[in-house]
Amino acid sequence: MRETNNVAQSGSNEGPLLSGVALRYATALFDLAREANAVDAVAGDLGRFNELIQGSEDLQRLIRNPIFTAEDQIAAVAAILDRAGISGLAGNFIRLVASKRRLFALPDMIRAYQDLVSDAKGIVRAQVILAEAPSDAVLNEIKAALRDVAKADVSVDVKIDPSLIGGLIVKMGSRMVDASVRTKLNSIRLAMKEVR
């Protein structure tokens, strides 16, 4: 099983603490989902809620801003869950997280849960960062190359970062390959400075 210490890094100052909280909650939910034979259903619902978070600055503010009371967060989350049709274990989990004032860690909890599901299925998760959205053909080539390297099924999470200019960055487990144009340009700049 893959190391899970940094499964849910948020990039915040609370890194390891947040990772521990996210992993504990995700593990508890995963155990419940497994008992209820609902691992995939919960993963789907959590994925949909995560997409709602990513697509709404208001929702991001709600989950990250400590100015909102627990009651405000619970009410808002309940309305969003009802509108999105997310109920059952995933809905109850998100409501519990809101009631415990842990919504700020929910994206990390979702990521940790997805990693637990992938581990249980023997699927390796990889993050691919590109300067622009890839065509289906390019994405399929990337997936095939990662499958060859991992010697297992690979779940690819694609992120777009125009600052890369071109190329890509691949993170898979503890490995990272940075083949971005930005990094190559920075290397050239550094080499030119050393020549002087």
Side-chain angles (χ1 to χ4, degrees):
M1 192 171 208
R2 200 166 355 131
E3 284 184 14
T4 51
N5 299 12
N6 51 16
V7 159
Q9 287 298 334
S10 69
S12 74
N13 299 348
E14 304 172 45
L17 174 64
L18 188 54
S19 296
V21 168
L23 188 57
R24 278 194 305 276
Y25 274 76
T27 302
L29 177 61
F30 182 74
D31 290 344
L32 286 171
R34 217 172 19 191
E35 287 172 17
N37 209 12
V39 170
D40 291 334
V42 170
D45 285 342
L46 291 178
R48 283 192 302 136
F49 195 81
N50 199 45
E51 286 172 11
L52 293 173
I53 293 170
Q54 300 306 317
S56 169
E57 287 183 23
D58 288 339
L59 184 51
Q60 290 173 28
R61 250 188 313 280
L62 174 75
I63 68 171
R64 291 197 176 102
N65 196 332
I67 198 164
F68 294 105
T69 67
E71 292 76 24
D72 292 339
Q73 289 180 327
I74 292 166
V77 164
I80 293 166
L81 291 171
D82 289 344
R83 219 171 329 142
I86 297 173
S87 59
L89 274 175
N92 290 341
F93 175 76
I94 294 168
R95 285 181 174 89
L96 171 72
V97 170
S99 72
K100 298 291 185 186
R101 306 241 340 125
R102 295 271 193 259
L103 276 180
F104 65 90
L106 184 59
D108 292 328
M109 292 174 190
I110 292 171
R111 205 168 15 258
Y113 181 88
Q114 291 167 339
D115 283 346
L116 290 169
V117 172
S118 294
D119 283 348
K121 292 181 175 185
I123 298 171
V124 175
R125 290 180 59 92
Q127 182 181 60
V128 177
I129 306 169
L130 300 149
E132 59 186 32
S135 68
D136 288 343
V138 169
L139 186 57
N140 287 336
E141 284 182 40
I142 291 169
K143 287 179 180 178
L146 292 175
R147 262 194 309 273
D148 289 345
V149 169
K151 306 282 189 253
D153 285 335
V154 178
S155 170
V156 177
D157 178 26
V158 175
K159 299 231 184 282
I160 307 302
D161 180 358
S163 73
L164 295 182
I165 305 169
L168 72 157
I169 298 173
V170 178
K171 298 175 186 175
M172 188 166 60
S174 61
R175 293 179 276 189
M176 183 176 109
V177 175
D178 187 340
S180 66
V181 173
R182 178 182 65 195
T183 299
K184 290 177 183 176
L185 288 173
N186 287 338
S187 296
I188 292 169
R189 281 190 198 107
L190 186 60
M192 302 268 299
K193 284 181 184 175
E194 290 175 1
V195 170
R196 291 184 193 164

